[in-house]
Structures are given as structure tokens and as C-alpha cells.
Amino acid sequence: MAVTGIALVDKPGGITSHDVVARARRAFGTRKIGHAGTLDPMATGLLVLGVEGATRLLTFIVGLDKTYEATIRLGVATDSDDADGEMTTTMDASALADEQIRTAIKPLTGRISQVPSTVSAIKVNGKRAYDLARAGEQVELAAREVTVSRFDVLAIERSESVIDLDVVVDCSSGTYIRALARDLGAALGVGGHLTALRRTRIGPFGVDGASSVDGLAEAAVLSPAVVAADVLGRFDVTADEARDLRHGKRLVGAAARLEAGRAAIDPDGALVGIVERRGSDVKSAMNMPEERPA
């Protein structure tokens, strides 16, 4: 039987996130593998995979804030806003001062309205935007509100007519770093696109603790209890309370204890489920299967 839990994987460039899922299925001996957000083939870094019953926890992970390290090239725009697309415009960016660049970044931080990249996985009338764009159709995507809590320039490198910026970005789920590159280039009047992208964090999970794709068979799998407590906070229950929750019963008068968190953990350290407040009571919003030790 496959282990139940969450696996952290460091995706290399040049393969899709679905390729990683396929390899994980072989490594863990199960088809029940899910992910908490994909990365483009060009991108590298952290993928969070759910194995077996822990796929239920992915819904709580996918919306967590993320950190990316990226390189933005100013002076060249592409139709995909990244290096995998076709070049659309070029303009000499060499006259831009460092302070001009940092000033242009400021409006792209905080709560902002962002139009996602045309070549994205967003569905338009039931079809992926990137499929429509590649078929030559005009794609109009609506702006969405996202939060960029950090957009820091780590290094500025100049080469002839282009400028490469190494940046780090902390942002809410749903933020497109490619769109930030595009919008920064547009604000500076020279165009811009993304040449490198690495996701280093999703919520409390960092890429430093991730396994390589080739090392999946030996990868450590985080227990559902540990993951749920990290993401949602821990709610300790007795053995009797755990049994009641698993049988669909309410914990009468237990709502005051929910301040600590929503992940119900039994005395053996197993995740019973995710609970919610119902008046002064607590009931299970999602039960979890019994854990099998890694």
C-alpha cells in the first residue's frame, strides 16, 4: 500500500508539472497523486504533491502565499511574457537608471489589479487560454486582484541594449510573475519578459526540504497531521472525541477551543479531519482516512 502524505519536490526545468506527477505515481506505487499548483516547463522549484488520502489537503495548500526568485529582461517583450514565447518588440533599455527601475516597481506592489498572461491555464468558455492563443484566437482575460507583498531587486546586470533584473517576489496565490515582468517593462516603456523563474516557498513549505525528481522513491513524505497542523493550526481531541468526529457527531460546547486551529489531531498524533465551528459546537468539515505510517 502506498504511503499517505505530502511530498515536496524540486521540479527541474524542461519538464512539465504533469511529468513530475507521472514519475511520482511510479515512485509511490499509486495513481492517486495530486498537486497544489503547477509550474511552467521553463520554471523550476517547489511542487507540493498529495499522495493517497492526503490529496484532500491540497485544497488548503493551493491558496497559500508563495515566494519566487526570477530574472526579468527589460528591452524585449514576447507574446507569452516569458522566454518560451516569440519576441514581439525590442527597444534599447540601456538608458534606464537603477532608480527609475525601482520607482516603476513600487506601483506593482501591494494590492494590485493584474491581467494574467494570455498564455496561461485560465479557462475561457471551457478552454485553456494558452490553447486558444496557440490556435491563433484573440484572448481577452479579465483583470484580477492579487497581492504582491515583496518585489525586491537583488541584482541589476546590463548588457548592450538589455537589462536583466534578479528579483524576489512574495505574493498571493494567483499572481503571475510573467505578468509582473510584462507590466514592469511596459511601465518603463521598453517592454519586458521573464527569462528565469524558481518557486522557493508555498506557505510554510520551502524548496530546501524538497526531493529531486530522481530521488522520489526515497523521498520523505510528510504526514497529513503535520501538514494540516502547519497550515490550519492544531486542534487536539481525545480518543472519544476523535471517534465521535469520525462518526459525524458534534463536539458539544467545544467551539471555544477552536482558537488554536482546525486540524483535529488524536492522542496518537493522527489527523482525524478538518473541523469547523457550528454555534458553540464543533463538527467535522472533512474527515481523513486512517494514516499509514511512512
Side-chain angles (χ1 to χ4, degrees), residues 193-262:
H193 72 284
L194 203 65
T195 62
L197 182 67
R198 180 167 177 77
R199 186 160 65 196
T200 59
R201 181 186 64 87
I202 300 177
F205 310 110
V207 73
D208 289 348
S211 166
S212 69
V213 170
D214 293 336
L216 275 171
E218 295 80 36
V221 177
L222 304 175
S223 78
V226 168
V227 171
D230 281 347
V231 172
L232 297 171
R234 184 181 179 109
F235 178 72
D236 288 294
V237 296
T238 66
D240 288 341
E241 288 174 329
R243 182 181 61 250
D244 287 345
L245 288 171
R246 288 192 173 105
H247 291 164
K249 296 181 179 180
R250 296 189 180 199
L251 305 185
V252 178
R257 292 162 45 200
L258 266 186
E259 299 301 325
R262 297 176 53 209

Side-chain angles (χ1 to χ4, degrees), residues 2-247:
V3 170
T4 295
I6 295 292
L8 307 180
V9 184
D10 186 351
K11 186 188 92 67
I15 66 173
T16 68
S17 298
H18 296 295
D19 291 334
V20 176
V21 170
R23 296 192 193 186
R25 286 171 174 160
R26 293 192 294 270
F28 293 119
T30 178
R31 290 199 58 78
K32 196 170 183 182
I33 302 281
H35 60 76
T38 62
L39 286 169
D40 293 334
M42 182 190 83
T44 68
L46 183 61
L47 286 176
V48 175
L49 304 182
V51 184
E52 289 286 315
T55 55
R56 299 183 188 185
L57 295 177
L58 296 176
T59 187
F60 302 105
I61 297 173
V62 69
L64 297 176
D65 288 355
K66 300 169 176 65
T67 298
Y68 294 91
E69 295 174 355
T71 301
I72 297 171
R73 173 158 292 179
L74 299 175
V76 180
T78 71
D79 58 3
S80 64
D81 304 324
D82 65 17
D84 285 340
E86 297 293 327
M87 184 172 60
T88 56
T89 64
T90 62
M91 187 168 291
D92 190 347
S94 60
L96 291 174
D98 292 2
E99 192 55 36
Q100 281 180 276
I101 295 169
R102 291 190 167 89
T103 298
I105 284 174
K106 290 179 182 177
L108 296 175
T109 60
R111 188 73 176 166
I112 64 172
S113 179
Q114 182 186 74
V115 177
S117 296
T118 301
V119 183
S120 68
I122 294 173
K123 286 190 175 181
V124 180
N125 297 324
K127 295 183 178 180
R128 299 290 184 186
Y130 54 68
D131 289 330
L132 296 172
R134 288 164 185 163
E137 296 188 33
Q138 189 70 26
V139 180
E140 297 288 342
L141 296 177
R144 55 174 62 183
E145 295 293 311
V146 298
T147 299
V148 178
S149 52
R150 176 169 61 147
F151 190 169
D152 290 344
V153 176
L154 303 179
I156 300 176
E157 183 176 337
R158 298 172 180 273
S159 177
E160 297 182 354
S161 62
V162 301
I163 299 175
D164 288 331
L165 308 176
D166 290 335
V167 303
V168 60
V169 177
D170 291 338
C171 58
S172 62
S173 180
T175 304
Y176 282 85
I177 310 303
R178 284 180 290 156
L180 289 178
R182 175 202 66 205
D183 293 345
L184 178 60
L188 290 165
V190 297
H193 72 284
L194 203 65
T195 62
L197 182 67
R198 180 167 177 77
R199 186 160 65 196
T200 59
R201 181 186 64 87
I202 300 177
F205 310 110
V207 73
D208 289 348
S211 166
S212 69
V213 170
D214 293 336
L216 275 171
E218 295 80 36
V221 177
L222 304 175
S223 78
V226 168
V227 171
D230 281 347
V231 172
L232 297 171
R234 184 181 179 109
F235 178 72
D236 288 294
V237 296
T238 66
D240 288 341
E241 288 174 329
R243 182 181 61 250
D244 287 345
L245 288 171
R246 288 192 173 105
H247 291 164

